[in-house]
Amino acid sequence: MDKGEMKVRFDPEADILYILIEEGPLKDTVEIAEDLFIEIAEDGSIAGLEVWRARENVLKSLLEHIKVMIQEA
């Protein structure tokens, strides 16, 4: 993975959306809100984000936003 290149994965069975910002060893994972976790790299930077219950927390909101944009177009 090139520096600055993010990867996004969705696990439909676990219903988790994962955004990988930087590969490498992790120092910690911190829950910053319900169902939202940040993975901290050893150097203190953000290595990734996990969104649990992604269908409800992200995808549903995204689809509603797209629906509104289509109606306004």
Side-chain angles (χ1 to χ4, degrees), residues 24-30 32 38-48:
L26 299 175
K27 178 170 63 172
D28 200 5
T29 300
V30 179
I32 61 167
I38 292 181
E39 294 184 335
I40 309 296
E42 287 187 338
D43 67 0
S45 65
I46 296 174

Side-chain angles (χ1 to χ4, degrees), residues 1 4 13 20 25-26 29 31-32 39 44 52 59 64 69:
M1 183 166 103
E13 287 184 28
L20 178 65
L26 299 175
T29 300
E31 185 173 11
I32 61 167
E39 294 184 335
W52 293 11
L59 301 178
E64 289 297 321
M69 290 183 70

Side-chain angles (χ1 to χ4, degrees), residues 5 10-11 50 59 71:
E5 179 182 328
F10 176 66
D11 180 339
E50 283 187 16
L59 301 178
Q71 290 172 351

